[in-house]
Amino acid sequence: MTNWLIQTGELAALLENRPDNVVVLDCSWYLPEAGKHAKDDFAAGHIPGARFIDLGDISDPDSPYVNMLPAAGLFAAQVGRLGIDDETDVIIYDGGYVSCRLWWMFRVFGHDRVRILNGGWRKWKAEGRPIETGESLPTEARTFTARLVPGRVATLDDVRTAIDNGGATIVDARTAARFDGLEGSGYPGVASGYMPGAINTPWARFFDADRNFEFVSPEKARTVFKDASADISGDVITTCGSGVTACILGFMVEQLGNPHWRLYDGSWHEWGQREDVPKLVKERSGS
């Protein structure tokens, strides 16, 4: 099984030699409602030599749904301008929960030479490792080949089929309050609730706050899924609010040895706006 993680000590040792075929990407990102931009955080401090990539720049600009997978050409152009080609080893980190989304995007476009920094920016800082300030230095653009790998993206119809006929476990990464419909969806005009048959496995349960937000061990991840009665041994469809944290669930499914998972890219941002799909909510206690 491929090891998709790199530890902070490994990365620090690697950067001492500044190899030409390695690019470190900071993909930190904020929801629009936060009123700030992660590029400002990057300028204030980042891993030495890292380059910044904005999720908005590598999402479909024409989709009515947020954070959707772009055309292969757009993705290729954006990562190519950051000095990444087909032979580049890409190391991804962020300050929150976006790294798995970018990991998935590289792989869905056929580039498997990608790893995630375990613990990300928070662990790097907590360990007192070197920090660089300022914007990304200019770099020579390279040619990146992006070809969509079939079978890694689930559509709304795929989810409908799974609900109606079974055949796939649907796991939802949102918080319990968002999933249950007891809290707003987080997006104006998007209804609250969950899909019939979906199982709530909140993304935060897969990080260990006591270990500088490293991913939990495979054993712990297996327990999280088991406690939620989520059978991840077969086909799995992951979903969330807008297709970002759902990739964390997929990452953990793959860490447990099952590559047979698909991301429902539209996630709740699409499902919640459709009038032709069922939406369930939990009853409030005492009602």
Side-chain angles (χ1 to χ4, degrees), residues 58-62 68-78 105 109 146 148:
I58 51 172
S59 297
D60 183 351
D62 300 319
M68 294 290 284
L69 193 70
L74 187 153
F75 186 80
Q78 289 293 334
M105 292 178 78
F109 284 123
L148 189 66

Side-chain angles (χ1 to χ4, degrees), residues 16-28:
E16 288 181 4
N17 300 318
R18 296 288 176 121
D20 291 337
N21 70 323
V22 175
V23 170
V24 179
L25 290 181
D26 183 329
C27 63
S28 299

Side-chain angles (χ1 to χ4, degrees), residues 176-255:
R178 287 261 165 92
F179 178 87
D180 292 342
L182 304 181
E183 186 177 284
S185 69
Y187 295 99
V190 181
S192 299
Y194 61 95
M195 305 157 192
I199 299 170
N200 189 209
T201 50
W203 65 269
R205 295 180 184 174
F206 296 98
F207 292 95
D208 189 342
D210 294 330
R211 295 179 59 86
N212 294 314
F213 296 94
E214 288 185 343
F215 288 96
V216 299
S217 67
E219 294 76 19
K220 173 62 176 175
R222 194 180 302 279
T223 298
V224 172
F225 286 121
K226 183 178 179 180
D227 288 349
S229 298
D231 179 6
I232 58 161
S233 62
D235 288 335
V236 176
I237 294 175
T238 68
T239 184
C240 61
S242 63
V244 176
T245 58
C247 295
I248 296 170
L249 305 190
F251 180 80
M252 298 312 303
V253 167
E254 198 149 330
Q255 287 288 90

